[in-house]
Amino acid sequence: MTDLSTALQRSLDGRWAAIRDETRKELNPERFAPPSGWLSLEDYRARIADQVQGIAETGHAARGFPVEMGGNGDLGGSVTAFEMLGHADLSLMVKAGVHWGLFGGAVANLGTKRHHAAYLPSIIDASLPGCFAMTETGHGSDVQSLGTTATYDPATDELVVHTPDLRSRKDYIGGAARDGRMAAVFAQLVTGGESHGVHCVLVPIRDDAGAAMPGVTIGDCGPKAGLAGVDNGRLSFDHVRVPRTNLLNRYGDIDEQGRYTSPIENQTRRFFTMLGTLVRGRISVAGGAGAATRTALTLAITYAGHRRQFAPPGASDEVLLLDYRTHQRKLLPALAKSYALQFAQNELVALMHDVQVSGEEVEEHQQRELEARAAGIKAVATAHATATIQTCREACGGAGYLAVNRLPALKADTDVFTTFEGDNTVLLQLVAKGLLTDYRDSFGDLDTLGMVRFGARQFAGAVIERTAARGLVHRLIESTPGRDSEKGPLDRGWQLDLFEDRERHLLETVALRLRKAGKPDADLFAVFNDAQDHVVAAARAHVDRTILESFVTGIETCTDPAARELLERVCDLYALHTIEADKGWFLEHGRITPARSKQVTATVNDLCAALRPHAQDLVDAFGIPQAWLASELLDPIETTR
Amino acid sequence: MTDLSTALQRSLDGRWAAIRDETRKELNPERFAPPSGWLSLEDYRARIADQVQGIAETGHAARGFPVEMGGNGDLGGSVTAFEMLGHADLSLMVKAGVHWGLFGGAVANLGTKRHHAAYLPSIIDASLPGCFAMTETGHGSDVQSLGTTATYDPATDELVVHTPDLRSRKDYIGGAARDGRMAAVFAQLVTGGESHGVHCVLVPIRDDAGAAMPGVTIGDCGPKAGLAGVDNGRLSFDHVRVPRTNLLNRYGDIDEQGRYTSPIENQTRRFFTMLGTLVRGRISVAGGAGAATRTALTLAITYAGHRRQFAPPGASDEVLLLDYRTHQRKLLPALAKSYALQFAQNELVALMHDVQVSGEEVEEHQQRELEARAAGIKAVATAHATATIQTCREACGGAGYLAVNRLPALKADTDVFTTFEGDNTVLLQLVAKGLLTDYRDSFGDLDTLGMVRFGARQFAGAVIERTAARGLVHRLIESTPGRDSEKGPLDRGWQLDLFEDRERHLLETVALRLRKAGKPDADLFAVFNDAQDHVVAAARAHVDRTILESFVTGIETCTDPAARELLERVCDLYALHTIEADKGWFLEHGRITPARSKQVTATVNDLCAALRPHAQDLVDAFGIPQAWLASELLDPIETTR
């Protein structure tokens, strides 16, 4: 590590830098690194189950639970430690995330004291391996329409959990196929013939000997594209009875007289409030995607820095791959975006931590902002992972295709990140919905399609809200006098203004289109569907803008002058490459002239060339221990093979 | 199959429709389908080796060799049959391609009668499993710089094959790790201390018992991202001696007096002539990529046609995924491009067949056109496969991540197609080089970088040449009177003109930039490198244009009015989506107005909606037997699970 990369790392590591350093030291690659050979599915699952026990022994797991529940209440630290697991085996990361984050998170956030006392100790020490049984074969994105039922039987004071049809079978459930003993089952809660919407019930699925409990049918999803160490399975329930008190009853309870009560009257609002408490899963996936992407970039950029191919006429030395413009174009804008996303992720984790550990009652506005940010960053970070890891594989040629060089597993394991914890296309629509509605006043029966009529009624013009921390952004936009044409493409204010302007225009025009739904005879689905790609584009523009703002404010934390100067250039590359990628839109809408558009492309090329000598520093600053990277790609062949 | 899809299939199947039907019937899925369970590397390799023997028994293999060599001379049929293997297990396709196409192709095309007589019978019946040992650890793209040497020893009349260093080790060689008995080894041929450039020598690598031959060190590349059934390995030679006559001597020979002779004096020209005879490999990879992509699209579109999610407000039925605009946008333009590529591939295979079986001496111009077309289609078809199979996986959500649903293997197995048989970025530069030079007059020491000074000297303005078959294209461009603004985006002449115009402009401007290299003090590498992304864009524009022209002429073969009408709409979608994807360029260069640009986007949306009711017909027309598709994605869950 050079001084420069150390200084860069300090900025990237952010508020929970100490946790990052701790995991860098504690997680022994000899125990937690991905396997080097070909393992059978069973061997891989057994290996990961053992590694989860190893993680439990480190004590890290307690960090994710509040002090009053026996944890140590460092939620931001917990999510950061999880992110660092993304440098290890991603099967381990996901398996740990399912057990502590999803299963443990459901018990902690949806349960009450009786559940915390009964289960959290054995969840924290991993002696009660758990599953998060939400998704069904027939319903993944539309969780509100789950088919599993939990019906209260007053005769026995029990809940009867039942799978009415194949579409309602729980599917893709991590931990179900091999290790899970208890599942947090999401089901339509029914009392006295009345449904109260989706709630969560704890259901034992295996006995101590590992056999399926009576009435529980367990299936195995079998081999997958990746994450071979995660035992995804299927659960069906045939009138399985559990005590009434197994209902996680923070937001909806059944009293001893069998009456249903809830602090939140509106069913849809109650449902989204319950889901909202589970936001940490999405944030964690975004973090894990970021770590995996940084691993891939470190491998591909290091390789391109020593791998040579083709000698120019008259020269004796062949050219380094990273000196070719096409190669710089493949890797360096992706690197810049990984920097941007790291700052955005750090800000998101801090927001989550401050909202969730505040102790006071969380303001709904803050909670909704957190959810929208989490959905947006998750969608963009996981799409970036899929695209970038693919590019890194190709940039390493045949070597990138060998398992020993890690890129195949990074690709295969992260592939499902764009799907789980919310399909990206659905998540971006969720972001847009948040932007188009004033949810504080009208958080009623508003589903993804209902937003149409709603949007048409309520929408009064898009307002770009900047948080208090964004004073800097405001100043940058206002600081440069002169017309746009006089500001160069490296003017940060011009870049920020362009990002904001695109977002505002897309939001305002999508709102205009949705107004059509206000007509009495409107075909709501047709109106919504015609605008769907527009809605998604608006959300993406919003997320792009918040990421750029996070980068700009993140640079402020860097006190080393050389590192700061470099970060400014990386930020330029992120901003201009994002503009270039959507230059069709900016030109179509007269936001940039053809001359400026060509200038942006030329400047992206110049920035790639300017950053190329610092490329190794920039990836070293990710701070991935060499032992985690064990790969033939790292050193020139003469010295290693 | 509806009548419509049958009529569509007739057009898509093309000239070798009979071969396609034969493989549809003959290749028994029970024997050749991908494995359903988790196989160890060794079990998978053994399974594929056995399947290769099964293919040999069908007699298909003889098709790829000329009659005078014991084959039946149906080269186009051979490549088409290989493409159809892309619907089976891709490990089988690649393993078969390495043995018959690459190893067999080297013996047939680079060898002479003595090699044909000695080896082709046992190559055709697969009793002599072979390897194609070209790529080295240190050189993949730059084959001309291989380090392996084959030095003639007059004392014993032998060639001494040697690996001087680790960079010169043969790497990623299919068949090397387990099954190969003989390798076609590419090496620098040296006689009397003088090097004659890269030639190919047959080297036995294993004895009949399967043990490595003396002096041959065999390594195993181990697990890979995909293609687990292909035993890729590494070969090193320690002064391994083979008879002089093992030199494949069609383009360079050593006589009994130890003198080197060649019909082609110039070493670089000789090298490219030898490589040119092996063009079938690239064409085959493009075909296999196409088949895999069509499989993925068939699965994802069929699934989206019965899978529902979210009910609109007030409606009881949930919406089919394929009715959502964002979902149409993901799948239907990709489907249109697969149609376009199928027509382009059919034309390419026919061109290859006619050039290679003509019997007469091939005109160099024809040969170079064939090579450029093969390189361009390979690059575009494999990039399309990587992007589209990824999209299909995501479009099927969690189900798309399960191995049982085939998409994971399609993704992982095809991932390396963008790399092998030529890295796509390198191939596109090869295409551009062909467009920028008049190779007939000046095919000298012209390597990828040398083109810079060369281009500056020779280039006189880009000429878009259309072949004779392109009279239709010319008529379409000329047929519509009026200014561009008066022609709608569905005007075929307007679309074709736009594709041509972009290609011409990019070629002319790149040539202008490269002229700088003509200055005496020019830094050749810097001039070339600054223009590299421009060079690649020019090549892509060229390939896009030829693909569109292939589609337009391909439609002419369709005599069914309804199918023809549908093909015209699919062609519109391909053309307009390609324009939309590069709208930034067209706007930047004043080729379209902002209003027209928005109109193009709106028309793409309209075309997606118009094609949606025919989506199932369009994928059924790919003619993939249901048994090959065995997947839970094909039918609604109620009826299958």
Side-chain angles (χ1 to χ4, degrees), chain A residues 15-16 76 80 283 344-357 370:
Chain A
R15 184 164 151 189
W16 282 274
T80 303
I283 299 172
Q345 177 75 13
N346 288 347
E347 202 175 75
L348 174 62
V349 171
L351 177 67
M352 179 214 75
H353 182 89
D354 294 340
V355 166
Q356 294 198 339
V357 303
L370 175 63

Side-chain angles (χ1 to χ4, degrees), chain B residues 571-608:
Chain B
C571 185
D572 281 331
L573 182 55
Y574 166 68
L576 294 181
H577 188 257
T578 304
I579 293 167
E580 187 188 37
D582 204 17
K583 68 182 179 180
W585 189 91
F586 289 109
L587 286 160
E588 226 174 40
H589 293 80
R591 260 56 181 187
I592 59 175
T593 63
R596 169 55 61 103
S597 181
K598 290 177 185 176
Q599 193 185 14
V600 166
T601 294
T603 310
V604 169
N605 287 338
D606 292 346
L607 284 166
C608 284

Side-chain angles (χ1 to χ4, degrees), chain A residues 137 139 166-167 223 225 307 318 323 325 330 393 401 403 412 415 419 425 529-530 588 597 637-638 641, chain B residues 137 139 166-167 223 225 307 318 323 325 330 393 401 403 412 415 419 425 529-530 588 597 637-638 641:
Chain A
T137 305
H139 285 102
L166 214 41
R167 287 166 56 89
R307 168 79 175 183
E318 294 173 83
D323 286 331
R325 170 162 291 169
K330 286 176 191 173
R393 199 300 290 158
Y401 198 62
D415 201 83
T419 296
T425 304
N529 204 35
D530 282 351
E588 223 173 42
S597 181
I637 181 165
E638 292 80 359
R641 286 182 247 194
Chain B
T137 305
H139 286 102
L166 214 41
R167 287 165 56 88
R307 169 79 175 182
E318 294 173 84
D323 286 331
R325 171 162 291 170
K330 285 176 192 174
R393 199 300 289 159
Y401 197 62
D415 201 83
T419 296
T425 304
N529 205 35
D530 282 352
E588 226 174 40
S597 181
I637 182 167
E638 292 81 359
R641 286 184 249 194

Side-chain angles (χ1 to χ4, degrees), chain A residues 516-536:
Chain A
K516 286 184 203 158
K519 293 182 189 162
D521 59 344
D523 175 345
L524 287 190
F525 177 69
V527 171
F528 168 76
N529 204 35
D530 282 351
Q532 198 186 16
D533 49 344
H534 193 159
V535 165
V536 169

